[in-house]
Amino acid sequence: MNKQVTSDIVRIGMVNYINVAPIYEPWKRREAEVGWNVVEAIPSKLNRMLAEGELDLGFVSCYEYGAHPELYRILPDLSISANGPVGSVFLFSRVPVKKLDGQRVLLTSQSETSVSLTKVALEEFFNVQPEYVTGEVMSELRDECAAVLAIGDDALRLTQEGNFSHQLDLGEVWKKNTGLPFVFAVCAVREEFCQQNPLLLSMVHKRLLECRSEGNSRLDDICKIAAPKIPMEVDRCKAYLKGIQYDLDEKKREALEQFFSYLIKRGDASPGALPLKVHSFT
């Protein structure tokens, strides 16, 4: 029998976009626990680090869980979601979306979830098949493309610039076509960490829920910290963050199942992604 390995050290991935500020800013205000190490990065980097065992848990693209479900469990009651417009995942287009067939569409390299959602939306909902290219959204490459997928802070900046005649909020498109919210990120934990450190995992989960509660109650203060990072007006930041949800209720689990069903059908996710493996602390 293998000896169980326990540790007081946990490596936590945190998305470095302002959409996680209502959890992360309260986290930073609290006294750091010894051994609780946080890594800030874009979603695609956190995905890689979690998959390669460089992190124990973190907010990662839900795509990462769908691609490698055998590695993870989903922590309950935590996500980055929207029930309709999300305000920071946009397809910016120079032509009407239905005219993007055969056109070049630049996809951000920062999030596999949003890339997959874009492909589902364009191909399944609008029945168009563009030519996809991947690269940095804020580079000159976007000038060569008919449309651009931008997420997070980049999307907020492009919205501020207003240089595209058509702007598609992909959270809104998903809601219109499925009737469901969309889960952009989950808090995934590596399977072996669940087995080896159940008490530590419970403590971290409790702290994340406490920070979420504090962030919701201090949203005005959070926005004063977060808004200058774009930069954007505090009132607009508050309107944006009020549209982001951080729970994982029954409807959001149903939404994850629907999204993974699309990805499995397309060959973009593992069939093992369903049924969902949501961790239980009981």
Side-chain angles (χ1 to χ4, degrees):
M1 180 181 295
N2 291 330
K3 184 178 179 180
Q4 189 179 57
V5 178
T6 60
S7 171
D8 294 327
I9 297 174
V10 57
R11 301 162 299 171
I12 305 164
M14 199 74 74
V15 181
N16 62 355
Y17 297 153
I18 69 167
N19 61 11
V20 79
I23 292 177
Y24 193 31
E25 291 301 331
W27 178 284
K28 290 190 289 187
R29 280 169 53 91
R30 298 187 175 211
E31 184 176 351
E33 300 286 346
V34 176
W36 291 25
N37 304 312
V38 173
V39 175
E40 294 181 47
I42 61 175
S44 58
K45 182 175 180 180
L46 295 180
N47 292 352
R48 179 192 61 76
M49 293 181 71
L50 192 64
E52 295 180 0
E54 296 174 19
L55 295 173
D56 300 306
L57 65 96
F59 285 93
V60 294
S61 299
C62 72
Y63 176 92
E64 174 59 26
Y65 173 85
H68 305 106
E70 71 282 357
L71 297 179
Y72 312 120
R73 294 186 198 175
I74 297 172
L75 284 185
D77 203 25
L78 288 168
S79 76
I80 300 175
S81 307
N83 189 19
V86 61
S88 59
V89 181
F90 284 108
L91 184 69
F92 298 93
S93 182
R94 306 181 200 282
V95 300
V97 175
K98 290 187 177 180
K99 293 187 177 181
L100 284 175
D101 199 54
Q103 299 289 318
R104 296 184 83 195
V105 172
L106 174 60
L107 302 175
T108 177
S109 58
Q110 295 186 10
S111 169
E112 289 92 342
T113 295
S114 297
V115 166
S116 295
L117 176 57
T118 300
K119 291 179 179 179
V120 168
L122 291 177
E123 297 171 29
E124 305 284 347
F125 302 156
F126 289 97
N127 296 311
V128 297
Q129 181 65 63
E131 175 193 345
Y132 300 113
V133 295
T134 302
E136 291 300 318
V137 167
M138 303 307 285
S139 70
E140 294 180 358
L141 185 57
R142 76 174 186 266
D143 297 330
E144 304 171 12
C145 296
V148 176
L149 165 67
I151 70 165
D153 297 355
D154 285 347
L156 294 171
R157 293 184 181 102
L158 287 180
T159 302
Q160 296 270 82
E161 291 177 8
N163 292 331
F164 290 85
S165 54
H166 301 272
Q167 188 171 295
L168 203 67
D169 186 305
L170 291 170
E172 185 175 21
V173 171
W174 174 265
K175 174 74 173 182
K176 180 179 178 181
N177 285 274
T178 67
L180 295 167
F182 190 81
V183 179
F184 289 93
V186 295
C187 193
V189 55
R190 287 185 61 88
E191 185 72 45
E192 65 266 24
F193 191 83
C194 291
Q195 301 294 334
Q196 296 169 0
N197 299 279
L199 180 58
L200 180 55
L201 180 60
S202 178
M203 292 169 62
V204 172
H205 182 250
K206 182 173 182 286
R207 173 68 63 89
L208 288 169
L209 294 180
E210 290 172 349
C211 289
R212 182 186 67 188
S213 179
E214 180 183 336
N216 287 336
S217 67
R218 295 182 48 248
L219 196 57
D220 286 339
D221 293 336
I222 299 295
C223 290
K224 290 175 184 176
I225 298 170
K229 297 178 182 180
I230 299 301
M232 65 195 304
E233 294 180 356
V234 172
D235 287 346
R236 186 164 176 269
C237 181
K238 184 176 180 180
Y240 163 59
L241 289 180
K242 286 180 72 173
I244 307 295
Q245 300 176 353
Y246 300 95
D247 66 320
L248 191 61
D249 63 15
E250 186 176 342
K251 277 291 185 184
K252 293 185 178 70
R253 294 190 190 192
E254 183 183 345
L256 272 178
E257 291 168 353
Q258 176 82 304
F259 184 53
F260 290 151
S261 294
Y262 274 117
L263 297 191
I264 291 168
K265 183 180 73 173
R266 295 168 55 85
D268 294 334
S270 166
L274 298 176
L276 301 176
K277 292 191 301 177
V278 179
H279 185 65
S280 174
F281 288 100
T282 58

